[in-house]
PDB file of all heavy atoms in Angstrom:
ATOM      1  N   ASN A  15      95.227 184.273  28.869  1.00  0.00           N
ATOM      2  CA  ASN A  15      95.657 185.114  29.853  1.00  0.00           C
ATOM      3  C   ASN A  15      97.152 185.064  30.094  1.00  0.00           C
ATOM      4  O   ASN A  15      97.952 186.143  30.280  1.00  0.00           O
ATOM      5  CB  ASN A  15      94.865 184.902  31.279  1.00  0.00           C
ATOM      6  CG  ASN A  15      93.553 185.479  31.188  1.00  0.00           C
ATOM      7  OD1 ASN A  15      93.319 186.749  30.968  1.00  0.00           O
ATOM      8  ND2 ASN A  15      92.498 184.764  31.120  1.00  0.00           N
ATOM      9  N   ARG A  23      99.170 196.163  27.564  1.00  0.00           N
ATOM     10  CA  ARG A  23      97.664 196.209  27.435  1.00  0.00           C
ATOM     11  C   ARG A  23      97.078 195.034  26.866  1.00  0.00           C
ATOM     12  O   ARG A  23      97.752 194.264  26.122  1.00  0.00           O
ATOM     13  CB  ARG A  23      97.337 197.378  26.353  1.00  0.00           C
ATOM     14  CG  ARG A  23      97.711 198.721  26.607  1.00  0.00           C
ATOM     15  CD  ARG A  23      96.904 199.703  25.669  1.00  0.00           C
ATOM     16  NE  ARG A  23      95.591 199.614  26.119  1.00  0.00           N
ATOM     17  CZ  ARG A  23      94.913 200.479  26.772  1.00  0.00           C
ATOM     18  NH1 ARG A  23      95.427 201.579  27.023  1.00  0.00           N
ATOM     19  NH2 ARG A  23      93.595 200.288  27.040  1.00  0.00           N
ATOM     20  N   GLN A  24      95.935 194.711  27.178  1.00  0.00           N
ATOM     21  CA  GLN A  24      95.220 193.552  26.736  1.00  0.00           C
ATOM     22  C   GLN A  24      94.129 193.955  25.601  1.00  0.00           C
ATOM     23  O   GLN A  24      93.545 193.034  25.084  1.00  0.00           O
ATOM     24  CB  GLN A  24      94.564 192.763  27.852  1.00  0.00           C
ATOM     25  CG  GLN A  24      95.593 192.114  28.741  1.00  0.00           C
ATOM     26  CD  GLN A  24      96.187 193.028  29.813  1.00  0.00           C
ATOM     27  OE1 GLN A  24      95.494 193.823  30.404  1.00  0.00           O
ATOM     28  NE2 GLN A  24      97.420 193.045  29.828  1.00  0.00           N
ATOM     29  N   GLY A  25      94.079 195.191  25.266  1.00  0.00           N
ATOM     30  CA  GLY A  25      93.123 195.595  24.246  1.00  0.00           C
ATOM     31  C   GLY A  25      93.517 197.008  23.666  1.00  0.00           C
ATOM     32  O   GLY A  25      94.479 197.466  24.277  1.00  0.00           O
ATOM     33  N   GLY A  52      86.917 195.009  34.249  1.00  0.00           N
ATOM     34  CA  GLY A  52      87.589 194.323  33.065  1.00  0.00           C
ATOM     35  C   GLY A  52      88.984 195.032  32.855  1.00  0.00           C
ATOM     36  O   GLY A  52      89.374 195.280  31.765  1.00  0.00           O
ATOM     37  N   CYS A  53      89.634 195.326  34.056  1.00  0.00           N
ATOM     38  CA  CYS A  53      90.756 196.270  33.969  1.00  0.00           C
ATOM     39  C   CYS A  53      92.085 195.506  33.492  1.00  0.00           C
ATOM     40  O   CYS A  53      92.931 196.189  33.206  1.00  0.00           O
ATOM     41  CB  CYS A  53      91.020 196.658  35.514  1.00  0.00           C
ATOM     42  SG  CYS A  53      91.224 195.283  36.662  1.00  0.00           S
ATOM     43  N   GLY A  54      92.102 194.140  33.321  1.00  0.00           N
ATOM     44  CA  GLY A  54      93.275 193.590  32.927  1.00  0.00           C
ATOM     45  C   GLY A  54      94.379 193.871  33.860  1.00  0.00           C
ATOM     46  O   GLY A  54      94.112 193.995  35.106  1.00  0.00           O
ATOM     47  N   GLN A  58      95.207 201.308  31.968  1.00  0.00           N
ATOM     48  CA  GLN A  58      94.497 202.506  32.137  1.00  0.00           C
ATOM     49  C   GLN A  58      94.070 202.770  33.542  1.00  0.00           C
ATOM     50  O   GLN A  58      93.843 203.902  33.815  1.00  0.00           O
ATOM     51  CB  GLN A  58      93.131 202.293  31.184  1.00  0.00           C
ATOM     52  CG  GLN A  58      92.015 201.374  31.725  1.00  0.00           C
ATOM     53  CD  GLN A  58      92.348 199.985  31.732  1.00  0.00           C
ATOM     54  OE1 GLN A  58      93.076 199.468  30.791  1.00  0.00           O
ATOM     55  NE2 GLN A  58      92.252 199.262  32.876  1.00  0.00           N
ATOM     56  N   LEU A  73      88.527 195.774  38.809  1.00  0.00           N
ATOM     57  CA  LEU A  73      88.042 194.483  38.857  1.00  0.00           C
ATOM     58  C   LEU A  73      88.318 193.693  37.565  1.00  0.00           C
ATOM     59  O   LEU A  73      88.057 194.205  36.503  1.00  0.00           O
ATOM     60  CB  LEU A  73      86.500 194.537  39.288  1.00  0.00           C
ATOM     61  CG  LEU A  73      85.742 193.240  39.166  1.00  0.00           C
ATOM     62  CD1 LEU A  73      84.689 193.338  40.362  1.00  0.00           C
ATOM     63  CD2 LEU A  73      85.066 192.965  37.892  1.00  0.00           C
ATOM     64  N   ASP A  74      88.719 192.476  37.730  1.00  0.00           N
ATOM     65  CA  ASP A  74      88.918 191.599  36.595  1.00  0.00           C
ATOM     66  C   ASP A  74      88.610 190.155  37.008  1.00  0.00           C
ATOM     67  O   ASP A  74      88.813 189.825  38.284  1.00  0.00           O
ATOM     68  CB  ASP A  74      90.230 191.766  35.970  1.00  0.00           C
ATOM     69  CG  ASP A  74      90.266 191.247  34.488  1.00  0.00           C
ATOM     70  OD1 ASP A  74      90.327 189.953  34.221  1.00  0.00           O
ATOM     71  OD2 ASP A  74      90.200 192.123  33.575  1.00  0.00           O
ATOM     72  N   ILE A  75      88.221 189.381  36.006  1.00  0.00           N
ATOM     73  CA  ILE A  75      87.902 187.899  36.460  1.00  0.00           C
ATOM     74  C   ILE A  75      89.208 187.072  36.614  1.00  0.00           C
ATOM     75  O   ILE A  75      89.103 185.990  37.098  1.00  0.00           O
ATOM     76  CB  ILE A  75      86.924 187.401  35.326  1.00  0.00           C
ATOM     77  CG1 ILE A  75      86.153 186.261  35.882  1.00  0.00           C
ATOM     78  CG2 ILE A  75      87.565 187.061  34.069  1.00  0.00           C
ATOM     79  CD1 ILE A  75      84.772 185.980  35.106  1.00  0.00           C
ATOM     80  N   TYR A  76      90.336 187.603  35.987  1.00  0.00           N
ATOM     81  CA  TYR A  76      91.558 186.785  36.007  1.00  0.00           C
ATOM     82  C   TYR A  76      92.422 187.129  37.060  1.00  0.00           C
ATOM     83  O   TYR A  76      92.962 188.304  37.157  1.00  0.00           O
ATOM     84  CB  TYR A  76      92.180 186.828  34.557  1.00  0.00           C
ATOM     85  CG  TYR A  76      93.413 186.053  34.608  1.00  0.00           C
ATOM     86  CD1 TYR A  76      93.332 184.625  34.704  1.00  0.00           C
ATOM     87  CD2 TYR A  76      94.664 186.646  34.214  1.00  0.00           C
ATOM     88  CE1 TYR A  76      94.510 183.854  34.658  1.00  0.00           C
ATOM     89  CE2 TYR A  76      95.805 185.837  34.215  1.00  0.00           C
ATOM     90  CZ  TYR A  76      95.655 184.383  34.387  1.00  0.00           C
ATOM     91  OH  TYR A  76      96.832 183.634  34.359  1.00  0.00           O
ATOM     92  N   GLY A 101      86.835 189.477  40.333  1.00  0.00           N
ATOM     93  CA  GLY A 101      85.222 189.356  40.471  1.00  0.00           C
ATOM     94  C   GLY A 101      84.750 189.534  38.922  1.00  0.00           C
ATOM     95  O   GLY A 101      85.546 189.603  38.010  1.00  0.00           O
ATOM     96  N   SER A 102      83.440 189.236  38.755  1.00  0.00           N
ATOM     97  CA  SER A 102      82.873 189.208  37.510  1.00  0.00           C
ATOM     98  C   SER A 102      81.968 190.468  37.307  1.00  0.00           C
ATOM     99  O   SER A 102      81.282 190.854  38.177  1.00  0.00           O
ATOM    100  CB  SER A 102      82.072 188.003  37.208  1.00  0.00           C
ATOM    101  OG  SER A 102      81.626 188.059  35.979  1.00  0.00           O
ATOM    102  N   MET A 103      82.196 191.140  36.095  1.00  0.00           N
ATOM    103  CA  MET A 103      81.512 192.361  35.985  1.00  0.00           C
ATOM    104  C   MET A 103      79.902 192.152  35.689  1.00  0.00           C
ATOM    105  O   MET A 103      79.289 193.126  35.569  1.00  0.00           O
ATOM    106  CB  MET A 103      82.107 193.136  34.774  1.00  0.00           C
ATOM    107  CG  MET A 103      82.192 192.421  33.470  1.00  0.00           C
ATOM    108  SD  MET A 103      83.117 193.536  32.416  1.00  0.00           S
ATOM    109  CE  MET A 103      83.685 192.300  31.332  1.00  0.00           C
ATOM    110  N   GLU A 119      87.454 199.616  29.683  1.00  0.00           N
ATOM    111  CA  GLU A 119      88.087 199.827  28.307  1.00  0.00           C
ATOM    112  C   GLU A 119      88.226 198.255  27.768  1.00  0.00           C
ATOM    113  O   GLU A 119      88.730 197.420  28.330  1.00  0.00           O
ATOM    114  CB  GLU A 119      89.471 200.462  28.322  1.00  0.00           C
ATOM    115  CG  GLU A 119      89.320 201.847  28.693  1.00  0.00           C
ATOM    116  CD  GLU A 119      90.612 202.647  28.396  1.00  0.00           C
ATOM    117  OE1 GLU A 119      91.491 202.241  27.563  1.00  0.00           O
ATOM    118  OE2 GLU A 119      90.863 203.604  29.063  1.00  0.00           O
ATOM    119  N   GLY A 120      87.557 198.057  26.567  1.00  0.00           N
ATOM    120  CA  GLY A 120      87.673 196.885  25.847  1.00  0.00           C
ATOM    121  C   GLY A 120      87.169 195.686  26.481  1.00  0.00           C
ATOM    122  O   GLY A 120      87.505 194.533  26.181  1.00  0.00           O
ATOM    123  N   ALA A 121      86.131 195.861  27.315  1.00  0.00           N
ATOM    124  CA  ALA A 121      85.715 194.592  28.242  1.00  0.00           C
ATOM    125  C   ALA A 121      84.149 194.505  28.162  1.00  0.00           C
ATOM    126  O   ALA A 121      83.685 193.428  28.491  1.00  0.00           O
ATOM    127  CB  ALA A 121      86.233 194.749  29.508  1.00  0.00           C
ATOM    128  N   ASN A 124      82.143 191.391  26.815  1.00  0.00           N
ATOM    129  CA  ASN A 124      82.128 190.103  27.511  1.00  0.00           C
ATOM    130  C   ASN A 124      80.730 189.747  28.158  1.00  0.00           C
ATOM    131  O   ASN A 124      80.400 188.649  28.281  1.00  0.00           O
ATOM    132  CB  ASN A 124      83.166 190.055  28.485  1.00  0.00           C
ATOM    133  CG  ASN A 124      84.599 189.856  27.855  1.00  0.00           C
ATOM    134  OD1 ASN A 124      84.958 188.811  27.192  1.00  0.00           O
ATOM    135  ND2 ASN A 124      85.493 190.884  27.946  1.00  0.00           N
ATOM    136  N   ILE A 125      80.138 190.802  28.520  1.00  0.00           N
ATOM    137  CA  ILE A 125      78.713 190.578  29.108  1.00  0.00           C
ATOM    138  C   ILE A 125      77.592 191.225  28.207  1.00  0.00           C
ATOM    139  O   ILE A 125      76.471 191.022  28.416  1.00  0.00           O
ATOM    140  CB  ILE A 125      78.571 191.063  30.497  1.00  0.00           C
ATOM    141  CG1 ILE A 125      78.734 192.581  30.744  1.00  0.00           C
ATOM    142  CG2 ILE A 125      79.559 190.312  31.433  1.00  0.00           C
ATOM    143  CD1 ILE A 125      78.126 193.017  31.978  1.00  0.00           C
TER     144      ILE A 125
HETATM  145  N1  LIG B 301      90.907 197.077  30.195  1.00  0.00           N
HETATM  146  C1  LIG B 301      92.189 196.293  29.700  1.00  0.00           C
HETATM  147  C2  LIG B 301      92.851 196.971  28.623  1.00  0.00           C
HETATM  148  O1  LIG B 301      92.146 197.799  27.933  1.00  0.00           O
HETATM  149  O2  LIG B 301      93.964 196.697  28.348  1.00  0.00           O
HETATM  150  C3  LIG B 301      91.837 194.903  29.392  1.00  0.00           C
HETATM  151  C4  LIG B 301      90.942 194.622  28.176  1.00  0.00           C
HETATM  152  S1  LIG B 301      90.891 192.976  27.728  1.00  0.00           S
HETATM  153  C5  LIG B 301      90.366 193.104  26.051  1.00  0.00           C
HETATM  154  C6  LIG B 301      89.282 192.427  28.511  1.00  0.00           C
HETATM  155  C7  LIG B 301      89.406 192.064  29.987  1.00  0.00           C
HETATM  156  O3  LIG B 301      88.051 191.701  30.470  1.00  0.00           O
HETATM  157  C8  LIG B 301      90.327 190.885  30.297  1.00  0.00           C
HETATM  158  O4  LIG B 301      91.371 191.372  31.208  1.00  0.00           O
HETATM  159  C9  LIG B 301      89.472 189.750  30.808  1.00  0.00           C
HETATM  160  O5  LIG B 301      90.076 189.004  31.843  1.00  0.00           O
HETATM  161  C10 LIG B 301      88.227 190.711  31.393  1.00  0.00           C
HETATM  162  N2  LIG B 301      87.030 189.905  31.551  1.00  0.00           N
HETATM  163  C11 LIG B 301      86.311 189.108  30.678  1.00  0.00           C
HETATM  164  N3  LIG B 301      85.245 188.673  31.202  1.00  0.00           N
HETATM  165  C12 LIG B 301      85.100 189.222  32.290  1.00  0.00           C
HETATM  166  C13 LIG B 301      84.057 189.247  33.307  1.00  0.00           C
HETATM  167  N4  LIG B 301      82.814 188.595  33.181  1.00  0.00           N
HETATM  168  N5  LIG B 301      84.259 189.881  34.505  1.00  0.00           N
HETATM  169  C14 LIG B 301      85.399 190.666  34.656  1.00  0.00           C
HETATM  170  N6  LIG B 301      86.476 190.703  33.747  1.00  0.00           N
HETATM  171  C15 LIG B 301      86.263 190.057  32.621  1.00  0.00           C
END
Side-chain angles (χ1 to χ4, degrees):
N15 284 299
R23 299 199 61 108
Q24 290 79 50
C53 56
Q58 74 292 319
L73 173 142
D74 200 279
I75 204 161
Y76 184 59
S102 183
M103 55 184 154
E119 294 194 27
N124 287 295
I125 63 163

